[in-house]
Amino acid sequence: ALVMLAMMFQPQAPLPIKDGQVIPLWSGAAPGALGGEDADVPTITVFLPRTMREGTPAMVVCPGGGYQNLASNHEGRQVANYLNSLGIAAFVLKYRLGPKYRHPVELGDAQRAIRTLRSHAAEWRLDAARIGIMGFSAGGHLAMSASTHFATADGVSSRPDVAILGYPVISMTESWTHAGSRTALLGA
């Protein structure tokens, strides 16, 4: 019994990811990249809860910004910090933006983010069956698109287990859409 008790309190191996770490989604140039500058490199920024146990749920957070900017503070970092307080690991997505990039590039970035979390779930102590995506405004549109247009690559699915949409751009119909988001995503 003493041996079993001692085994329960063994320190866990250090995580290979760190809070605040920025991880590129591809090791080389991203598919469709039109350059090598920061704006051409989609990434996820890691926000970890105080305690990372095996099977921690995770969320990809997609900040809005009209597909032209990213509201990475109030729709990224602050949301990630709140999720951390609930014991959820958060990964804020920096996706490629218009007018330089057009649909479906942003969708590919979101799909890759989900697959990255799922493929590293064991080593990052995440639950591969509890990986979600959430987004706000244009990021809500991106989260909705990723939750309905998922794919499998290298045997790993990009289908999220949950999607949360905060005031999303949900329609591209003239009278309902945010015109700036539509133009940045699809062109004139």
Side-chain angles (χ1 to χ4, degrees):
L2 201 51
V3 172
M4 291 291 282
L5 188 59
M7 288 174 58
M8 288 176 49
F9 292 103
Q10 290 286 335
Q12 289 186 317
L15 275 173
I17 56 172
K18 303 280 185 242
D19 198 49
Q21 181 177 352
V22 177
I23 301 171
L25 293 179
W26 282 273
S27 57
L34 300 174
E37 297 179 18
D38 186 58
D40 302 304
V41 181
T43 64
I44 49 176
T45 301
V46 180
F47 291 86
L48 300 176
R50 190 175 305 261
T51 304
M52 280 295 294
R53 293 185 175 89
E54 299 295 327
T56 297
M59 186 75 69
V60 173
V61 179
C62 304
Y67 283 111
Q68 298 174 68
N69 303 292
L70 292 177
S72 295
N73 183 31
H74 68 281
E75 293 175 354
R77 182 193 58 79
Q78 291 179 30
V79 173
N81 291 156
Y82 176 70
L83 292 169
N84 291 164
S85 77
L86 301 175
I88 301 169
F91 298 82
V92 177
L93 176 62
K94 183 188 78 159
Y95 52 94
R96 291 172 283 174
L97 302 168
K100 187 173 187 178
Y101 291 99
R102 303 276 189 224
H103 176 74
V105 167
E106 300 86 348
L107 176 59
D109 294 347
Q111 292 170 332
R112 177 67 174 209
I114 294 167
R115 281 195 304 270
T116 297
L117 300 189
R118 193 158 278 135
S119 67
H120 291 282
E123 67 181 294
W124 292 356
R125 298 187 196 141
L126 305 176
D127 184 341
R130 293 193 301 165
I131 295 175
I133 190 166
M134 70 183 304
F136 302 87
S137 193
H141 178 267
L142 181 56
M144 179 274 307
S145 297
S147 69
T148 57
H149 301 284
F150 42 87
T152 299
D154 300 322
V156 180
S157 174
S158 68
R159 182 182 182 271
D161 298 297
V162 64
I164 301 171
L165 313 179
Y167 45 91
V169 174
I170 206 72
S171 174
M172 292 296 166
T173 304
E174 187 71 37
S175 60
W176 294 100
T177 195
H178 179 261
S181 294
R182 183 185 63 216
T183 300
L185 181 66
L186 302 174

